[in-house]
Amino acid sequence: MSTLAIYGATGYSGQLIVRRALARGLRPLIAGRDRQAVEFMASSNDLEWKIARVDEPASLRAMTASAPVLLNAAGPFSTTASALIDACLSTGTHYLDITGEPEVIEQAAAHDDTAARRGVMLMPAVGFEVVASDCLAAHVARRLPGATALKLGFHKSQPSSRGSLKTCIGMNGQGVLVRRRGILARVAAGSLVHQFDYGQGPQMSLAVSLADVSSAYFSTGIPDVETYLCATLPIWSAITANQYWGWLISTPAIQGLIKAQLDWLAPDPSPPERNQGWGALVVEAFDGCGGSARSRLQTGDVYWFTALSAVAIAERCLAGELKPGFHTPSRIYGPDFALSFDGAMREDL
């Protein structure tokens, strides 16, 4: 039996995770949907491999039964997570993924009682989004006990991978998710604007649907949460398109066309881009009585951070540092966990 199964190992983030796992001395089971790609990667690294599809539950159970921990790197996670969680619950396998989709975190949270009874930990979002932001949110909440509202801003240096872009396209036409009084709600795209200082002075940011509207709530209990991206030209363009053409973009035909075009037109970030890449996060908390707290976290490349954090959490699970049920990273590993990776620096503003 392998110690760790990596599903979606041949994708952009999946390859980085496999590279990091090998560097840490792990011999993961390589799994995915594309037989040619999976077999090639596995044979190149002398690793075990399995083919499994989310519409074939038996193949998923055979895969999850082959390792005590599964790390899902196959997005969009709205398509893969539910079936893989079911398989993990069936075989007693701990489940991790690198989603940035709030709905996936909500799905995992709904299985909390079942997972706890079966001794399985469900921890979605163990990549940059949300490990870095979740730890920062928990730190700011620690600084301001009694906070009632959180605003989280995110900026990064390089373009998104094709997998990330496909996930974002899948969210178009749905409005923006926010948390109000502990309940998820939607507001119109472009209706919320805020300025965050990512390290170069205040910059305009636009509200978007990020996983933290769920993870930050579960980690801190703060009832009002909004998440933002720095308003670069691509972000402005995407929000504008969602405002005026969201009804069209959300149709299956247009979704399929755009995602197919991304395979041809959107190259994944190159190694030089990763080497020079950076991420910046700002979290602001407010208590409704005039009190506030702000902190900023700077990191290296967000995709490599994902590989580092995902493998680190997988290693902790293998070492028994876990708790059955649904959990967010900061609830188990603490607000300072994100600082354990090279290039991560936190400052209180």
Side-chain angles (χ1 to χ4, degrees):
M1 175 184 284
S2 296
T3 57
L4 171 66
I6 301 175
Y7 188 74
T10 61
Y12 181 76
S13 293
Q15 292 181 51
L16 295 178
I17 290 169
V18 171
R19 173 181 158 191
R20 177 61 177 173
L22 291 172
R24 294 291 297 170
L26 297 174
R27 306 295 296 171
L29 168 75
I30 301 302
R33 297 161 285 191
D34 186 329
R35 176 177 292 273
Q36 183 176 359
V38 169
E39 187 172 4
F40 177 78
M41 173 180 272
S43 61
S44 298
N45 295 282
D46 192 26
L47 298 172
E48 295 181 71
W49 59 277
K50 286 186 180 294
I51 301 302
R53 297 177 56 89
V54 295
D55 57 352
E56 297 174 354
S59 70
L60 294 182
R61 289 193 297 272
M63 176 192 63
T64 57
S66 300
V69 177
L70 171 73
L71 175 52
N72 177 16
F77 297 90
S78 57
T79 301
T80 63
S82 180
L84 285 166
I85 287 173
D86 286 344
C88 285
L89 291 173
S90 175
T91 58
T93 304
H94 303 300
Y95 175 85
L96 311 173
D97 69 33
I98 57 170
T99 189
E101 302 163 56
E103 294 89 349
V104 173
I105 294 177
E106 296 291 328
Q107 289 175 8
H111 291 287
D112 179 42
D113 289 343
T114 301
R117 288 197 305 270
R118 298 183 182 180
V120 171
M121 185 170 80
L122 304 178
M123 185 177 286
V126 299
F128 177 85
E129 169 74 10
V130 302
V131 168
S133 50
D134 187 53
C135 289
L136 188 61
H139 170 71
V140 173
R142 181 172 59 184
R143 291 183 59 208
L144 187 69
T148 59
L150 279 180
K151 295 181 186 291
L152 300 93
F154 170 42
H155 191 19
K156 65 185 178 76
S157 58
Q158 77 272 49
S160 298
S161 70
R162 280 174 288 191
S164 296
L165 288 171
K166 288 180 179 180
T167 295
C168 292
I169 290 297
M171 296 180 181
N172 271 325
Q174 302 175 10
V176 173
L177 274 175
V178 297
R179 181 81 59 172
R180 294 285 186 263
R181 297 181 181 178
I183 305 298
L184 286 175
R186 291 191 184 273
V187 298
S191 62
L192 294 177
V193 179
H194 191 70
Q195 289 199 358
F196 293 92
D197 183 354
Y198 299 105
Q200 299 175 331
Q203 292 181 269
M204 193 69 70
S205 299
L206 292 168
V208 296
S209 298
L210 296 179
D212 302 274
V213 296
S214 292
S215 59
Y217 170 70
F218 289 123
S219 295
T220 69
I222 295 174
D224 289 2
V225 183
E226 298 170 1
T227 57
Y228 294 78
L229 289 179
C230 185
T232 60
L233 180 58
I235 297 300
W236 273 112
S237 300
I239 293 294
T240 300
N242 201 11
Q243 278 182 296
Y244 296 103
W245 299 100
W247 61 273
L248 179 62
I249 295 172
S250 63
T251 61
I254 298 300
Q255 290 265 311
L257 176 63
I258 294 174
K259 290 178 181 179
Q261 293 300 311
L262 287 175
D263 287 331
W264 294 95
L265 299 177
D268 289 325
S270 66
E273 287 175 322
R274 287 203 312 271
N275 292 338
Q276 299 176 14
W278 52 266
L281 289 155
V282 178
V283 174
E284 302 179 354
F286 308 89
D287 64 8
C289 300
S292 64
R294 294 171 176 80
S295 296
R296 179 168 57 223
L297 179 67
Q298 304 274 4
T299 74
D301 172 71
V302 300
Y303 289 101
W304 186 236
F305 186 103
T306 288
L308 295 175
S309 62
V311 172
I313 289 177
E315 288 182 302
R316 291 195 176 206
C317 287
L318 292 168
E321 296 179 45
L322 55 83
K323 184 177 179 181
F326 161 78
H327 296 286
T328 58
S330 72
R331 273 170 49 176
I332 300 299
Y333 305 118
D336 299 332
F337 175 65
L339 300 179
S340 62
F341 306 111
D342 289 344
M345 297 180 294
R346 187 180 68 203
E347 57 184 321
D348 297 331
L349 305 176

